[in-house]
């Protein structure tokens, strides 16, 4: 049998310290239940491409318009990735060079507005992202940033409120999309509001791009001017970023990525993304994405049955926000106890949270990683039972250690790809 770690033999020979750290992380990922909504497991093909000789090549520019020689194969792989991205999302134009999601959003701003212009995005405390205009981020410092939130009772986006704020501040760009919003986003409503106030619409689908690609969440591609994404969450690709747009914005987007904001693209990541796009074009990816949502809903039902309060009452996508304060806990206490029990999530603010972001009221739960391992609804209910027990026994190391052992047994039944 081939040694699954043979690709690390040079690392072991050259630097035992780094080798040991990588192997320890590999073991951690294999033996814990990973519920961080922004994480996943890539295929071995994606991992191998990420570590390929394409990391050696500098490729400033775009296919057919590079600044260095020796681009025959880099051009081929970037064109392949772009073509597959267009096919997967039905996009008119695709740029696969952004290094990650935040640089992709920076490029969208650069292409569509000027420094100091008014912009509108979802506030971070309500589930938005730092790059949607939050004050500690470039987007909140370079632009006149304004925000919308969610309804205090339903925790759903109030589109009438979005329209009211948009009419008041007259943004040049409206950002929609979120990093902690468990419900379906109505991109068509946002497009209507943007058109009404003369704004460009950017849809950030970093979290839900795999769901969009599979058709289990509505796509913004037909209605948004620009769509941004990461490539490593529900899309299950390498670490990277992605921009899609209507043809009329293609030159502006490409120029914003290079030469305005980045240098040479990471061709090893682009090759891995081409593979991930091919994987996402297969029929079984649709089944995978549908199972992500089914698993999230099963977890939501189980939390509700156990008396937990969920933001918006449930979920339509890959994540849920659980308010743990009603159980006498906090987000940090709960996530720390869960981690000791082998269940890894993150503490997260909930809408209108009165607690500090460093120890908020909630935890964010996501199902992409456990779904990749083949777990389904029964396993989700078991995970919620363990989570409930861990939170209730946050100070009892013996209980947490016992749960951890049971978690490792379950993980053994669902190997990492």
């Amino acid at each position: 049998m081939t040694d699954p770690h043979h690709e690390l033999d040079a690392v072991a020979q050259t630097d035992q310290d780094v080798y040991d750290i990588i192997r320890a992380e590999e073991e951690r990922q294999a033996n814990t239940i990973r519920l961080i909504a922004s994480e996943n497991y890539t295929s071995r093909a994606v991992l191998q491409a990420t570590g390929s000789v394409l990391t050696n090549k500098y490729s400033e520019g775009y296919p057919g318009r590079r600044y260095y020689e020796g681009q025959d194969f880099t051009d081929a792989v970037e064109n392949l990735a772009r073509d597959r991205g267009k096919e997967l999302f039905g996009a008119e134009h695709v740029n696969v060079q952004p290094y990650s999601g935040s640089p992709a959003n920076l490029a969208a701003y650069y292409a569509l507005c000027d420094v100091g212009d008014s912009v509108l995005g979802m506030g971070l405390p309500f589930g938005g992202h730092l790059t949607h205009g939050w004050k500690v981020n470039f987007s909140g410092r370079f632009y006149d940033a304004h925000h919308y939130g969610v309804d205090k009772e339903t925790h759903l986006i109030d589109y009438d409120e979005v329209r009211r704020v948009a009419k008041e501040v007259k943004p040049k760009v409206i950002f929609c999309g979120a990093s902690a919003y468990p419900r379906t986003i109505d991109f068509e409503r946002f497009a209507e509001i943007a058109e009404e106030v003369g704004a460009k619409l950017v849809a950030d689908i970093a979290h839900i791009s795999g769901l969009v690609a599979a058709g289990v969440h509505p796509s913004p591609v037909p209605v948004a001017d620009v769509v941004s994404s990461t490539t490593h969450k529900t899309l299950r690709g390498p670490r990277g970023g992605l921009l899609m747009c209507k043809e009329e914005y293609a030159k502006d987007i490409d120029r914003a990525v290079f030469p305005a904001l980045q240098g040479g693209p990471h061709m090893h990541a682009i090759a891995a993304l081409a593979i991930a796009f091919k994987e996402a074009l297969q029929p079984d990816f649709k089944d995978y994405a549908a199972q992500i949502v089914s698993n999230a809903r099963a977890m939501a039902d189980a939390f509700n049955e156990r008396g937990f309060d969920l933001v918006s009452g449930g979920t339509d996508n890959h994540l849920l926000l659980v308010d743990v304060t009603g159980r006498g806990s906090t987000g940090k206490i709960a996530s720390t106890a869960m981690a000791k029990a082998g269940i890894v999530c993150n503490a997260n603010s909930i809408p209108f949270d009165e607690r500090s972001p460093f120890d908020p009221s909630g935890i964010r739960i996501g199902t992409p990683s456990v779904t990749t391992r083949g777990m389904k609804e029964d396993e989700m209910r078991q995970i919620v039972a363990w989570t409930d027990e861990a939170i209730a026994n946050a100070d009892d190391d013996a209980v947490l250690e016992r749960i951890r052992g049971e978690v490792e047994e379950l993980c053994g039944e669902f190997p990492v790809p």
Side-chain angles (χ1 to χ4, degrees), residues 33-37 299 338 343-345 364-366 370 383 387:
I33 292 171
R34 299 172 62 220
L35 299 179
I36 293 178
M299 293 191 84
M338 291 168 64
I343 304 169
V344 184
C345 71
R364 185 182 66 164
I365 301 285
V370 290
I383 291 168
T387 296

Side-chain angles (χ1 to χ4, degrees), residues 76-361:
V77 79
E78 185 167 345
N79 280 329
L80 188 62
R82 294 196 298 189
D83 289 345
R84 288 175 177 173
K86 289 179 184 179
E87 180 183 358
L88 181 63
F89 289 99
E92 294 179 13
H93 181 75
V94 169
N95 187 308
V96 294
Q97 291 196 9
Y99 297 148
S100 198
S102 292
N105 283 345
L106 176 56
Y109 283 110
Y110 190 98
L112 299 176
C113 63
D114 295 318
V115 172
D117 280 346
S118 176
V119 298
L120 176 62
M122 191 178 204
L124 185 68
F126 304 106
H129 190 259
L130 284 166
T131 56
H132 298 179
W134 202 240
K135 54 192 174 183
V136 298
N137 183 258
F138 76 84
S139 56
R141 297 190 64 184
F142 293 175
Y143 304 97
D144 178 21
H146 303 268
H147 301 96
Y148 58 87
V150 297
D151 182 84
K152 196 163 188 176
E153 298 301 321
T154 66
H155 296 155
L156 301 178
I157 294 171
D158 183 341
Y159 294 93
D160 291 335
E161 175 70 4
V162 176
R163 177 177 281 105
R164 185 194 66 76
V165 176
K167 284 184 174 182
E168 178 183 323
V169 305
K170 295 179 171 56
K172 195 78 171 286
V173 173
I174 296 176
F175 260 79
C176 61
S179 62
Y181 182 70
R183 294 300 187 176
T184 299
I185 296 172
D186 190 338
F187 296 118
E188 290 188 358
R189 292 281 295 278
F190 272 107
E192 290 169 2
I193 295 168
E195 183 177 10
E196 190 174 338
V197 300
K200 300 294 189 294
L201 179 64
V202 179
D204 181 347
I205 60 170
H207 267 264
I208 59 172
S209 56
L211 308 183
V212 169
V216 299
H217 188 289
S219 173
V221 171
V223 297
D225 297 296
V226 174
V227 177
S228 69
S229 183
T230 55
T231 56
H232 49 271
K233 298 184 176 84
T234 52
L235 193 56
R236 206 161 55 178
R239 298 295 301 233
L242 173 68
L243 283 166
M244 298 175 280
C245 65
K246 299 184 185 301
E247 191 61 43
E248 64 184 288
Y249 301 111
K251 288 184 179 180
D252 290 336
I253 286 293
D254 285 354
R255 289 169 182 161
V257 175
F258 175 85
L261 300 173
Q262 296 185 178
H266 297 169
M267 298 310 302
H268 56 301
I270 289 174
L273 179 56
I275 294 171
F277 282 155
K278 182 177 182 179
E279 293 172 346
L281 283 162
Q282 306 310 308
D284 62 352
F285 189 85
K286 294 183 183 297
D287 298 334
Y288 161 70
Q291 190 64 52
I292 286 176
V293 177
S294 295
N295 282 349
R297 286 174 171 162
M299 293 191 84
D301 289 343
F303 274 115
N304 280 325
E305 289 167 4
R306 290 174 174 271
F308 285 87
D309 291 325
L310 301 187
V311 170
S312 81
T315 182
D316 297 324
N317 56 30
H318 67 301
L319 65 83
L320 48 148
L321 290 174
V322 185
D323 183 349
V324 297
T325 57
R327 307 302 288 267
S329 188
T330 69
K332 189 61 177 177
I333 292 172
S335 63
T336 300
M338 291 168 64
K340 289 181 179 179
I343 304 169
V344 184
C345 71
N346 63 278
N348 210 96
S349 295
I350 62 174
F352 310 101
D353 205 333
E354 297 181 357
R355 296 187 58 82
S356 162
F358 297 101
D359 188 13
S361 296

